[in-house]
Amino acid sequence: MKYCSSSIIAFLFILTSATLLSGQEGPPIDSLKAILKENLTQDSLADINLGIGKSYRSQGMPDSAMYYLRQSIQLYEAGDQREEVVNAYEQLLRTMSNSDQPFEASVALSDTVITKAEEIDDAKTLTQAYLIRGIIFDDMNQREKAFKALNKSLEYLSRLEQKRTAVAIYNAMANLYTDGVDWEKSQEYYLKALYIADTSGWKLGKSVILNNIADNYLDVDRYDEAEQYFKESIAIKRSLGNETNLSVSLCQIAYLYSETDKLNLAFSHAREGLQLAQKNSYHNGMTICYTTIAGLHGKGGNQDQRINYAMKGVELMTQMNAPLNSSLLDNYEHLYQAYLSKNNYEQAFKYLELYSNARDSIVSMENEAKIDELELSFQLKEAEMKNALLAEQQKQAQLKLQRRQFLFFLMISIFAILGLITAWWVWQKNKLNAELDNLVKEKTATLQKTIEDLEKANEELTHFSYITSHDLKEPLRSINGFVTLLRRELGKDLSNDATDLMQNIQRFVRQMNRLIEDVMSFSLISKKKPHYHSISLADVVEEVKGSLSAKLDKSNAEINLQNDLELNSSRTHLVLILSNLCKNAIHYNKSEMPTVDIAAAENGQFWKIQVKDNGIGIAPQYQEQIFVMFKRLHSRSEYDGTGLGLPITKKLIEQLGGHITVESQEDKGSTFTVFLPKQDN
Ligand code: ADP
């Protein structure tokens, strides 16, 4: 691809020209300089300097332009006019990128412009600065950086309504894919640019894009399409009278004609192109045309002219201090080929050497650029990975934090709920406790009252029983006394029947007396509080025997203690219990010799005392009833008694916390067993 770089430079020129055409071109430089001498304010001075700078640039004098533009920047900065500073910087960047300054200087300047423009959020300048930066990177063969910059430019452009800049950006993007990188893609971007230029009616822009499309067809040897596009581009440029750009197009179509062996056409176009470039002192156009014409002479076999034009090209490029490019390489090739044809080996060798050195430099420049690209893409990838890792870490940390927060809130909620439940539970418990306390108090009070009432009633009853029995016994004693007196008074006059009757009266009185005594002792049992102490059963039995001695003698009965036992109990109670049981054992007995056997043993938590007799026994159906008050199994004529002996015994045993059982067989005898709980000493 021979004209790529040049066409971009040309395009930049068009862009700047277009800006000037849109009304930014100032008055002539001389009149401006004259104003400078006048007494001016700092702001006006800055404006004038800017105007002069722009004018110099439009006249293709970048060095002078840059001087005045820098002056204006300084003045604007001193006045802190930030927008004007950015604008002047943009002008400076446009100029520098179109000058002989090294690419690196323009890249550095673009950094400054971008920073300044970002500070005031100037989308228009940012779009332009990134566009220029993209084009410079493309010229430096750093495609990836160029693509990034152009994309940035597009990004800022989306905030503006600038069709022409869009055309420029798409054109620059297309340029990235030319030179055999990706023809389809370059074509796609060119067509986009062409469409925008066409629909927005921007003729100059359209002509440039048409030219570039033609160039792109030329690159893949599609000469017909290339010719068609060149022609269209040339027609527009002619109609616009844009001679500088026309010069380049004419030389490019000339090259096409030379490739398709239309030498005459080629020469006429190339000569016209060179003429226009020279007329306008357009150095870029001139170098392209010199190279093309040299090539045409080469084809035509005119080696002297070939050398002549190739030398002009080389000289101009040296004069322009242009960077190494394919045009220079072509010229060296022409020179070496021409001298070779002329058998001038010395010169041929010289230019072959220059050619190969230049080619090596270009190749190594390309390689360096490629290495730079690779390094950059590696750095980008690394940065991307780092970012992804960081993002992932942040995500994880966020998740962790969220999880922790969730757990924290969950715990807080659980604690809060537990706290509430506990508080409610405590409150409820306290409430229930209070209610229970009240209830207990109430019940205790009621119970206490009942107990008190009962005790009072019992007291009264005991008192009543005592009084009653005492009062009842009083008339009985009198009856007995009077009967005794009556018997004594009547003496021998009493008939036997009357004596019997009187004896009966006295017997009933005794019986009544016993009944009253038994009732009384029953009712007084509750008054008998047991006093526990260690006692010997043998002692108790001896006392019983003593109290029953008359009855024992009369009945010819005997009481035997099988074994002694030491126990902790109430002696009074035990004497009464055993007396009652022994009395019954002898009383309800028809044997010749009533015998009572007393045996004692420990039985678990109890002391077991058995009273066994050889008496009349008790029928099974009555064995329960005998402990009921006043229950008697026999008539008084048969066996006298009150029916209170066993109930009294039972009550005494219960007062000691024990119980009584009976086992009996009629006519064989009975065994009463008393269980008394063991008491601690
Ligand atoms: P009582 O004072 O009339 O003897 P108890 O309450 O002592 O009354 O006895 C109730 C009844 O149990 C007696 O009438 C008697 O029939 C019967 N009974 C009591 N002990 C014996 C016994 N050891 N053998 C046979 N019957 C008995």
Side-chain angles (χ1 to χ4, degrees), residues 56 74 83 214 235 279 308 325 418 588 647:
Y56 270 125
Q74 268 181 16
E83 281 176 27
K279 183 183 157 197
N308 178 28
N325 58 38
L418 281 176
Y588 299 103

Side-chain angles (χ1 to χ4, degrees), residues 530-537 540 564-574 577 601-602 605-609 653 655-658 675-681:
H531 299 289
Y532 291 92
H533 41 84
S534 183
I535 45 172
S536 149
L537 186 63
V540 175
D564 191 13
L565 185 75
E566 280 290 317
L567 68 166
N568 192 39
S569 191
S570 165
R571 186 183 174 97
T572 322
H573 282 70
L574 213 54
I577 291 163
E602 284 191 41
Q605 298 298 309
F606 293 90
W607 285 299
K608 189 171 87 173
I609 305 166
I653 293 167
Q655 218 181 13
L656 295 176
F675 292 90
L676 295 175
K678 284 181 185 170
Q679 297 288 333
D680 293 332
N681 282 318

Side-chain angles (χ1 to χ4, degrees), residues 283-327:
H283 293 168
N284 284 324
M286 280 159 73
T287 54
I288 290 167
C289 291
Y290 285 141
T291 312
T292 309
I293 296 170
L296 294 177
H297 283 301
K299 280 225 163 187
N302 188 343
Q303 301 305 337
D304 288 337
Q305 285 299 353
R306 191 183 190 184
I307 292 169
N308 178 28
Y309 280 98
M311 276 309 290
K312 283 183 177 172
V314 170
E315 277 162 14
L316 187 57
M317 272 186 254
T318 316
Q319 190 192 324
M320 282 167 66
N321 205 9
L324 277 176
N325 58 38
S326 55
S327 239

Side-chain angles (χ1 to χ4, degrees), residues 584-585 588 613 616-618 626 631-634 641-643 645-647:
N584 280 353
Y588 299 103
D613 64 49
I616 57 169
I618 305 157
I626 53 173
K631 183 69 188 174
R632 302 195 73 254
L633 304 182
H634 307 280
T642 57
L646 284 178

